[in-house]
Amino acid sequence: MDLRERDVLPVPRGPLSAAVLALLTSGPPAAGRLLAPPGPLTEPWGEDHQLALHLCYELHGRGLPGVPADWEWDPGLLRFRQELERPFLAAVRAEAEPVPPLREALEPLLTEPPDGTGPSHFLLAEGERRHAREYLVHRSVYHLKEADPQLWMLPRIHGPAQAVLTAVLYDEYGAGRPERAHSLLFARMMAAFGLDTGYGDYLDLVPAPTLAVVNLMTLFGLHRALRGAAVGQFATIEITSSPGSARLATALERFGGGPDGTLFYREHIEADAVHEQLVRRGVIEELVAAEPEFARDVAFGTVAAGVVDGRFADHLLGCWRAGRSSLRSALPDWAV
């Protein structure tokens, strides 16, 4: 399945994202063209801030439609991105503190709480097909490029940890079988639920809590100083994925997903059960053994993942339990 690129830019959500879009559509980068924050950056969790940061980050990945590739390393835009990153990272740190020792940070991830309340629990126990379709739209922001933000970790860690991490990421891209790449499996699942599969098609619909999850991955991945946190966040995904994937596969089957509509999560039940052991023992233990000073950074990444994931889950469940859409505008009724 072809993951076509979005061919229009998103709608701005405030002065920050409007300023980024205006700059990027003004032509190629030119000396002396500066971008300054149009006021104090006091809402790092807000729609405008998160979209502006997402736009900056997309330049390092698949790019933005109609935007010259040279903008990726424009010094003025990079300075502005840094201004966006600082309050976002500070807000995450504020909610993550106090960061426990690494062993304590990992321990709760290794067992399933008997009274789990996250989105996968909701979808399995009481969700409807409309909730599942919204959930896939949210997750498409990451899963249609799955593991791309984590690839920046590879040249920044070395030795056994790098070798094991490479093996895990190789699986994310289909382990040499392009048709098994996880991004393509996710697109097939979206199609089975009557959703568009183009990369970025639903960007205007997803709210700030969704963007924050992916923005934090990219923030950690792009900064060498945060490579330990990147490992911790990725480890959290892999360690907790298998049980949640089992719930989602069962729920999506109940909603009529069929083979294509459940394959992505069924693939993750087994794959991430293996990845959990590899990441925990082959990546984290080896990395910390070689560089003990990174233990706290890995622990921070683990807790930080819980911060953004918790905000995302609270948003979905709050909306669904109140009987309203979790997206910025509801999906068309006819797309069932």
Side-chain angles (χ1 to χ4, degrees), residues 134-145:
E134 287 191 3
Y135 184 79
L136 298 185
V137 167
H138 286 288
R139 289 305 195 189
S140 69
V141 180
Y142 172 62
H143 286 308
L144 290 181
K145 61 176 179 183

Side-chain angles (χ1 to χ4, degrees), residues 137-294:
V137 167
H138 286 288
R139 289 305 195 189
S140 69
V141 180
Y142 172 62
H143 286 308
L144 290 181
K145 61 176 179 183
E146 184 163 346
D148 286 1
Q150 285 81 30
L151 284 179
W152 284 302
M153 291 189 290
L154 284 178
R156 293 169 174 169
I157 62 175
H158 301 283
Q162 185 188 53
V164 176
L165 180 60
T166 301
V168 173
L169 291 171
Y170 180 61
D171 284 349
E172 305 290 347
Y173 293 95
R177 299 171 59 191
E179 75 281 2
R180 302 293 295 186
H182 290 180
S183 60
L184 291 179
L185 298 184
F186 194 86
R188 286 169 57 183
M189 181 169 58
M190 293 182 73
F193 279 86
L195 296 166
D196 293 334
T197 62
Y199 180 80
D201 277 358
Y202 292 108
L203 182 56
D204 283 326
L205 295 190
V206 297
T210 305
L211 295 178
V213 172
V214 187
N215 282 344
L216 191 65
M217 294 179 191
T218 311
L219 170 61
F220 286 166
L222 279 174
H223 290 268
R224 184 175 181 275
L226 295 170
R227 63 193 183 277
V231 169
Q233 184 174 46
F234 185 57
T236 301
I237 295 172
E238 298 300 302
I239 291 171
T240 60
S241 172
S242 186
S245 293
R247 286 190 292 273
L248 289 167
T250 301
L252 294 175
E253 184 176 31
R254 177 164 62 86
F255 301 141
D260 277 356
T262 59
L263 178 58
F264 174 86
Y265 285 114
R266 295 200 184 283
E267 175 87 0
H268 282 70
I269 296 171
E270 181 176 347
D272 286 348
V274 175
H275 290 174
E276 178 262 319
Q277 294 290 324
L278 291 174
V279 171
R280 193 156 51 90
R281 302 186 186 283
V283 179
I284 292 178
E285 289 185 6
E286 292 289 348
L287 175 64
V288 172
E291 302 177 85
E293 65 274 18
F294 284 114

Side-chain angles (χ1 to χ4, degrees), residues 7 10 17-18 34-35 41 44 51 62 77 93 101 121 131 141 145 153 178 183 195 240 250 299 301 304:
D7 58 5
S17 52
L34 300 176
L35 184 62
L41 303 181
L51 178 60
R62 302 195 184 193
L77 186 61
R93 287 193 184 279
H121 291 275
H131 298 127
V141 180
K145 61 176 179 183
M153 291 189 290
S183 60
L195 296 166
T240 60
T250 301

